[in-house]
Amino acid sequence: MREHGVLKRILLVYREGIRRLQAGDKTPAQALNAGAEIIRSFIEDYHEHLEEQYVFPKLEQAGQLTDVTAVLRTQHQRGRILTDRTLAATSGAGVPDKAGRDALIRDMSAFIRMYEPHEAREDTIVFLALRAVVPAKEFRDLAETFEDEEHRRFGQRGFEGVVDKVADIEKSLGIYDLSQFTPT
Ligand SMILES: [Fe+2]
Ligand SMILES: [Fe+2]
């Protein structure tokens, strides 16, 4: 699912935030808050909602990967708690003190640590299993349902509009230019 690409890019935003906090730089509160807002609206309220409403139940009804879907559901819930705290810590109510900065580092690190394996497992195991249990026509209908929901929530530009916002956050942190990541 291409939504996972947006998730991955916010994980990179969080990682840059952690790097700056650990270096003792100014907390990039605005960028981190904007990133956490995208996690809330696009990943948790939209993408994970669809997984919980359509993807996991199809597998559970087919008796497939039920141990995995149980863990993924729990991880969605834990992720929300971390996002609540990340939003609160970066909401602009003054500069967080040392304890607040350490807590923010811990929460963003825990979020990254959980979501890298979470999204990788979904991409390599869960969505393939879904294709195997859902007939082709139903699978296409499901994709259309997702697309409709995307435009209902995020307007005409949908996914692309969300990606533009992610790019703006990356630019504000100086991590947009892809070539900077090429080893010399
Ligand atoms: Fe998920
Ligand atoms: Fe997912």
Side-chain angles (χ1 to χ4, degrees), residues 3-17 19-20 28 30-36 38-39 159-181:
E3 291 100 278
H4 282 176
V6 167
L7 172 58
K8 183 79 200 175
R9 285 175 73 166
I10 303 295
L11 296 186
L12 295 168
V13 164
Y14 281 0
R15 188 164 279 139
E16 173 63 13
R19 191 190 68 74
R20 290 190 187 193
Q30 214 180 345
L32 295 176
N33 193 264
I38 289 174
I39 293 290
F159 179 79
E160 288 167 44
V162 175
V163 171
D164 285 349
K165 281 191 196 163
V166 174
D168 286 343
I169 298 168
E170 291 169 337
K171 284 172 190 166
S172 79
L173 290 171
I175 57 168
Y176 176 75
D177 176 21
L178 197 55
S179 68
Q180 72 186 289
F181 303 112

Side-chain angles (χ1 to χ4, degrees), residues 4 47-48 51 56 72 76 115 118 122:
H4 282 176
H47 170 78
E48 293 182 348
E51 288 178 342
F56 302 162
L72 296 173
H76 288 175
Y115 270 108
H118 181 106
E122 287 178 344

Side-chain angles (χ1 to χ4, degrees), residues 16-180:
E16 173 63 13
I18 292 166
R19 191 190 68 74
R20 290 190 187 193
L21 285 161
Q22 285 175 335
D25 295 353
K26 192 168 162 286
T27 308
Q30 214 180 345
L32 295 176
N33 193 264
E37 279 292 351
I38 289 174
I39 293 290
R40 172 58 35 94
S41 63
F42 187 70
I43 298 300
E44 293 171 347
D45 290 351
Y46 164 64
H47 170 78
E48 293 182 348
H49 181 72
L50 292 180
E51 288 178 342
E52 289 169 10
Q53 203 174 7
Y54 298 99
V55 178
F56 302 162
K58 290 280 174 209
L59 291 168
E60 286 153 0
Q61 281 155 21
Q64 298 258 334
L65 299 175
T66 50
D67 50 341
V68 179
T69 60
V71 176
L72 296 173
R73 282 179 193 277
T74 301
Q75 291 187 335
H76 288 175
Q77 290 167 8
R78 299 282 159 78
R80 284 186 158 275
I81 296 168
L82 296 174
T83 301
D84 281 342
R85 293 209 294 254
T86 303
L87 283 168
T90 56
S91 64
V95 180
D97 57 9
K98 170 86 168 73
R101 288 161 66 102
D102 287 349
L104 181 57
I105 291 171
R106 266 200 312 279
D107 285 341
M108 290 193 295
S109 301
F111 195 89
I112 294 167
R113 178 81 178 116
M114 178 170 76
Y115 270 108
E116 283 182 336
H118 181 106
E119 65 173 319
R121 200 64 62 99
E122 287 178 344
D123 281 335
T124 56
I125 304 291
V126 173
F127 297 144
L128 297 188
L130 180 72
R131 261 188 188 279
V133 299
V134 174
K137 159 92 172 68
E138 197 184 327
F139 198 86
R140 281 196 300 276
D141 290 347
L142 210 53
E144 245 171 70
T145 303
F146 289 9
E147 178 99 21
D148 289 347
E149 183 65 10
E150 178 189 305
H151 289 292
R152 193 182 69 74
R153 283 175 184 262
F154 303 102
Q156 211 199 336
R157 295 197 64 241
F159 179 79
E160 288 167 44
V162 175
V163 171
D164 285 349
K165 281 191 196 163
V166 174
D168 286 343
I169 298 168
E170 291 169 337
K171 284 172 190 166
S172 79
L173 290 171
I175 57 168
Y176 176 75
D177 176 21
L178 197 55
S179 68
Q180 72 186 289

